[in-house]
Amino acid sequence: MSDRRRAILEGAARVIARRGVRGLRVTDLAAEAGVSTALIYYHFKDRTGILRHALAFIGDRADRYTGAAEEAGAAPLAGDPRRLLERILLLEFQDLPEVRENSTAWGELRAHTIFDPELREELTAAGAAWVEEVADLLAAACPAAPGAAVGAAAERLTALLEGLSGRWLSGLLPAAHARDLMRGAIGVEIGRLGSVIT
């Protein structure tokens, strides 16, 4: 990705996180990214193109900061799917500007699709990929559990994560409490999957 394109997408994530999707104006984005509006239209064609690419950028950035934990010295967890699942889900509650911005922008884009379906297909695909990643880890932690039960548990955990994240970002829930609730839910789901008879 070119430096200018990256600057535009980083700027889009910041503007969406700060002002919401409805507050995203191309002129403001150009100022935020330090580029011309013509360059934004050259790369993204229109406002919908900006939103689509911003959604993909936010997803890629989340993959980078969750994957970076192991590179930054955290113990490798390849053989422990439960601990890896906890790490990946709990990293969403880091009080870092990039994480807060990502979570806020994701929530704004998700809320936007309630009123305007233009991003629904992309958001559905991104959500399905996230559920599948969680389901894969749950299946590794509970290999005897049926696929349908694993999928339902992954749906519940990702939905809970989004709800807890919204409360944390709104200041309604401390990050430590959100992490504790998420850990508890992971334990409940794994316990439930471990007790399911195939």
Side-chain angles (χ1 to χ4, degrees), residues 3 12 19 26 40 51 59 63-64 68 80 88 91 96 99 101 126 134 146 158 165-166 172-173 175 178:
D3 289 344
R19 298 183 189 160
V26 176
I40 292 173
L51 294 175
D63 289 344
R64 284 195 306 276
D80 191 342
I88 287 171
L91 283 172
L96 300 172
V99 176
E101 183 180 282
V134 171
T158 55
S165 178
L172 303 174
L173 191 66

Side-chain angles (χ1 to χ4, degrees), residues 87-119:
R87 179 183 290 168
I88 287 171
L89 295 178
L90 297 179
L91 283 172
E92 293 295 326
F93 299 107
Q94 297 178 86
D95 200 12
L96 300 172
E98 183 177 79
V99 176
R100 290 182 74 88
E101 183 180 282
N102 242 37
S103 294
T104 303
W106 172 263
E108 282 294 323
L109 288 162
R110 190 178 67 245
H112 175 71
T113 62
I114 293 170
F115 304 104
D116 190 344
E118 66 190 2
L119 296 179

Side-chain angles (χ1 to χ4, degrees), residues 6-150:
R6 179 178 298 284
I8 294 167
L9 292 172
E10 287 172 348
R14 280 192 304 273
V15 172
I16 292 168
R18 199 168 49 235
R19 298 183 189 160
V21 172
R22 291 183 178 174
L24 178 67
R25 305 283 179 263
V26 176
T27 53
D28 296 338
L29 174 55
E32 182 79 28
V35 299
S36 69
T37 57
L39 187 63
I40 292 173
Y41 285 117
Y42 170 77
H43 281 292
F44 303 104
K45 307 295 181 230
D46 57 20
R47 187 171 184 279
T48 300
I50 295 165
L51 294 175
R52 282 193 172 108
H53 285 90
L55 177 63
F57 174 78
I58 289 164
D60 291 344
R61 190 163 69 172
D63 289 344
R64 284 195 306 276
Y65 67 68
T66 54
E70 285 191 37
E71 296 169 14
L77 301 174
D80 191 342
R82 178 184 177 146
R83 288 189 53 217
L84 183 56
L85 177 63
E86 283 183 1
R87 179 183 290 168
I88 287 171
L89 295 178
L90 297 179
L91 283 172
E92 293 295 326
F93 299 107
Q94 297 178 86
D95 200 12
L96 300 172
E98 183 177 79
V99 176
R100 290 182 74 88
E101 183 180 282
N102 242 37
S103 294
T104 303
W106 172 263
E108 282 294 323
L109 288 162
R110 190 178 67 245
H112 175 71
T113 62
I114 293 170
F115 304 104
D116 190 344
E118 66 190 2
L119 296 179
R120 198 165 288 159
E121 187 175 318
E122 289 87 352
L123 196 68
T124 299
W130 180 228
V131 170
E132 184 177 345
E133 182 179 351
V134 171
D136 289 346
L137 290 168
L138 287 169
C142 304
V150 168

